[in-house]
Amino acid sequence: MGRGGRLPGLEADSQPEPPPKEASRPKPPEQAAALRLRRQTAWAWARPWRGGGARGVKGARHAGCGDAAVAAPGTGSRRRRRRRGLSAPRTWARSGLVMATEQRPFQLVVFGASGFTGQFVTEEVAREQVDPERSSSLPWAVAGRSREKLQRVLEKAALKLGRPTLSSEVGIIICDIANPASLDEMAKQATVVLNCVGPFLELMQLKYHEKAADKGVYIIGSSGFDSIPADLGVIYTRNKMNGTLTAVESFLTIHSGPEGLSIHDGTWKSAIYGFGDQSNLRKLRNASNLKPVPLIGPKLKRRWLVSYCRELKGYSIPFMGSDVSVVKRTQRYLYENLEESPVQYAAYVTVGGITSVIKLMFAGLFFLFFVRFGIGRQLLIKFPWFFSFGYFSKQGPTQKQIGAASFTLTFFGQGYSQGIGTDKNKPNIKICTQVKGPEAGYVATPIAMVQAAMTLLNDASDLPQAGGVFTPGAAFSKTKLIDRLNKHGIEFSVISSSEV
């Protein structure tokens, strides 16, 4: 949301002014379907972004996604155990969730539905609404500044999904990030808000963790493609190893159809602002003064800037997204709070043959040079297609490009079998797992967000007992989120496992 904003409900109590515009909704469905929970809310975000903070909603529990965030419900008690040692996330967000627990008109509200990502999240919620496995109704709404744009979003979704009555089934709420009071009014009507506006930054952890813990508010970042597949993929790999997992390397492979790949320039802008803010990022991390977690087994060696992966028969480069930071935060949380053995982690992305390597190297050099200067950042933002060698555009991908694209995230882990000491022995177990899914940015991200929301609604007893700022792995490691993702097209599987 806005830069340097506050989180209503976490700051001192205040009386908000009435919202500037009205909020409307259709007649609510059967009230018996609403959650009979106490006051709680949750945020989930899903795309890297810039900014110094975020505005929230009163009484909301916040959570973030990879570049996203998700929040979960609390117990209502002021006495909560403080969570220790959560390092600042290297994540921003443009989409998210907010979950409330008292009886409210809507279980889900898509905030920022008229944006590029918001359109796809809206469609995914509409699919969830008619899921044959649902045993109750799912009253929901879309929210944003323009009623006309929101109506067009619903009409487009209705046409795409073949549901001509969809527009009449979904509420419309008018609100604006420039008016915090209107956000409060939106949140009062929702059990879960899927925030597609952003941003979400590392500053959130340092600024709001203690306040969130005191009030039972959950802030969960990186709840989209960045970084639910990576974060939960490491946890899945650990759970499937018959022993102690000590180190994991992941390799992301993006598959495209005959028309190639295209990414909306919103993600491009996120990277520009993120890399341009590296100095502040370093200051934030230095200010945290966190002790390093113990190193179990031999230290994981980092690969060269360009390396060849024999298992995947292709070249790879380091993955510059938020996955490494998010996974490290999760491992710290699991070690300090649940006394689980921490896992070392490194992330890479495959780039195919040597021609692709050269092309990406030139694009990377251009990007890293221009992003250092104000005028350079303006040029990068104005001409994304040129400076990204055609990968990013203001129009974004076509429906054919989205339909033909997919991703595979392959994990290579090593560790020790039960009874083998980790101090002097070499790792004697290897395991390979995969997470596979549809197009990453506009299909997998909405699926991850919506299923995170369903987890918040249905698996509240398996969430951390106290509030605070969490990663997906910290929040959802004990829930059924992986099972939900498997049922919705993001599949976790074991490829091989053997003793050395």
Side-chain angles (χ1 to χ4, degrees), residues 301-378:
K301 295 181 179 179
R302 295 295 185 264
R303 293 174 179 256
W304 292 96
L305 184 62
V306 178
S307 62
Y308 186 80
C309 179
R310 290 177 296 175
E311 294 85 353
L312 299 179
K313 298 179 180 179
Y315 289 93
S316 66
I317 60 175
F319 180 63
M320 303 303 291
S322 61
D323 288 354
V324 172
S325 175
V326 171
V327 170
K328 285 183 176 180
R329 290 179 62 222
T330 292
Q331 295 304 313
R332 174 180 292 278
Y333 172 86
L334 296 176
Y335 168 72
E336 293 183 343
N337 294 272
L338 303 182
E339 299 182 352
E340 295 182 3
S341 177
V343 178
Q344 302 174 68
Y345 178 68
Y348 304 90
V349 56
T350 61
V351 293
I354 194 66
T355 302
S356 297
V357 171
I358 295 173
K359 184 178 178 180
L360 285 171
M361 286 182 64
F362 273 104
L365 289 173
F366 271 116
F367 181 87
L368 292 175
F369 175 77
F370 280 92
V371 80
R372 297 170 58 190
F373 311 103
I375 189 172
R377 290 192 289 271
Q378 293 177 20

Side-chain angles (χ1 to χ4, degrees), residues 6-11 54-60 62 180 183-184 208:
R6 51 100 179 168
L7 281 174
L10 297 187
E11 303 290 359
R55 287 190 178 93
V57 293
K58 271 197 173 180
H62 295 252
L183 301 182
D184 290 342
Y208 290 112

Side-chain angles (χ1 to χ4, degrees), residues 110 113 116-130 140 142 152-161 163 166 399 402 442-443 446 450:
V110 181
F116 193 84
T117 301
Q119 174 75 58
F120 294 99
V121 175
T122 298
E123 294 169 5
E124 186 61 28
V125 175
R127 293 187 186 93
E128 181 65 28
Q129 181 187 21
V130 295
W140 64 291
V142 291
R152 286 198 294 269
V153 166
L154 293 176
E155 291 171 356
K156 183 177 179 180
L159 181 63
K160 182 176 180 180
L161 301 176
R163 294 174 55 188
L166 179 64
Q399 195 59 50
I402 292 175
Y442 312 111
V443 182
V450 173

Side-chain angles (χ1 to χ4, degrees), residues 1 5-11 39-45 53-65 68-74 86 93 95-100 104 111 183-184 186-187 191-195 199-201 204-205 208-209 211-213 215-223 329 452 456 463-464 466-472 475-476:
M1 324 247 278
R6 51 100 179 168
L7 281 174
L10 297 187
E11 303 290 359
R39 196 163 164 244
Q40 19 181 339
T41 39
W43 287 77
W45 311 73
R55 287 190 178 93
V57 293
K58 271 197 173 180
R61 309 194 111 184
H62 295 252
C65 315
V70 177
L86 288 176
S95 26
L97 310 172
V98 179
M99 182 176 111
R104 301 186 179 190
F111 176 44
L183 301 182
D184 290 342
M186 172 190 66
T191 299
V192 174
V193 174
L194 295 90
N195 177 29
F200 182 81
L201 204 62
M204 289 289 294
Q205 194 278 332
Y208 290 112
H209 177 67
K211 294 178 181 179
K215 294 196 173 185
V217 172
Y218 290 70
I219 304 174
I220 308 170
S222 311
S223 299
R329 290 179 62 222
L456 291 171
L463 298 170
V469 181
F470 297 96
T471 58
F476 298 125

Side-chain angles (χ1 to χ4, degrees), residues 162-360:
R163 294 174 55 188
T165 63
L166 179 64
S167 297
S168 63
E169 301 170 7
V170 182
I172 292 179
I173 301 174
I174 305 304
C175 57
D176 191 334
I177 61 172
N179 190 306
S182 69
L183 301 182
D184 290 342
E185 290 301 315
M186 172 190 66
K188 290 176 183 177
Q189 302 183 61
T191 299
V192 174
V193 174
L194 295 90
N195 177 29
C196 302
V197 178
F200 182 81
L201 204 62
E202 297 195 28
L203 181 61
M204 289 289 294
Q205 194 278 332
L206 293 176
K207 189 173 183 180
Y208 290 112
H209 177 67
E210 294 298 328
K211 294 178 181 179
D214 287 341
K215 294 196 173 185
V217 172
Y218 290 70
I219 304 174
I220 308 170
S222 311
S223 299
F225 175 73
D226 282 5
S227 298
I228 278 183
D231 204 15
L232 294 186
V234 172
I235 290 176
Y236 176 84
T237 304
R238 181 202 65 193
N239 293 342
K240 293 300 181 180
M241 174 172 274
N242 187 23
T244 301
L245 181 68
T246 61
V248 173
E249 289 181 316
S250 71
F251 293 83
L252 171 64
T253 303
I254 300 295
H255 312 281
S256 63
E259 296 190 9
L261 290 171
S262 179
I263 306 172
H264 192 261
D265 73 333
T267 303
W268 176 255
K269 292 176 182 177
S270 301
I272 293 170
Y273 293 130
F275 279 93
D277 203 36
Q278 287 295 301
S279 60
N280 290 330
L281 179 63
R282 285 190 292 269
K283 292 178 182 178
L284 283 175
R285 290 175 173 170
N286 292 335
S288 62
N289 293 321
L290 295 172
K291 296 180 180 179
V293 297
L295 193 66
I296 309 299
K299 184 176 181 180
L300 181 62
K301 295 181 179 179
R302 295 295 185 264
R303 293 174 179 256
W304 292 96
L305 184 62
V306 178
S307 62
Y308 186 80
C309 179
R310 290 177 296 175
E311 294 85 353
L312 299 179
K313 298 179 180 179
Y315 289 93
S316 66
I317 60 175
F319 180 63
M320 303 303 291
S322 61
D323 288 354
V324 172
S325 175
V326 171
V327 170
K328 285 183 176 180
R329 290 179 62 222
T330 292
Q331 295 304 313
R332 174 180 292 278
Y333 172 86
L334 296 176
Y335 168 72
E336 293 183 343
N337 294 272
L338 303 182
E339 299 182 352
E340 295 182 3
S341 177
V343 178
Q344 302 174 68
Y345 178 68
Y348 304 90
V349 56
T350 61
V351 293
I354 194 66
T355 302
S356 297
V357 171
I358 295 173
K359 184 178 178 180
L360 285 171

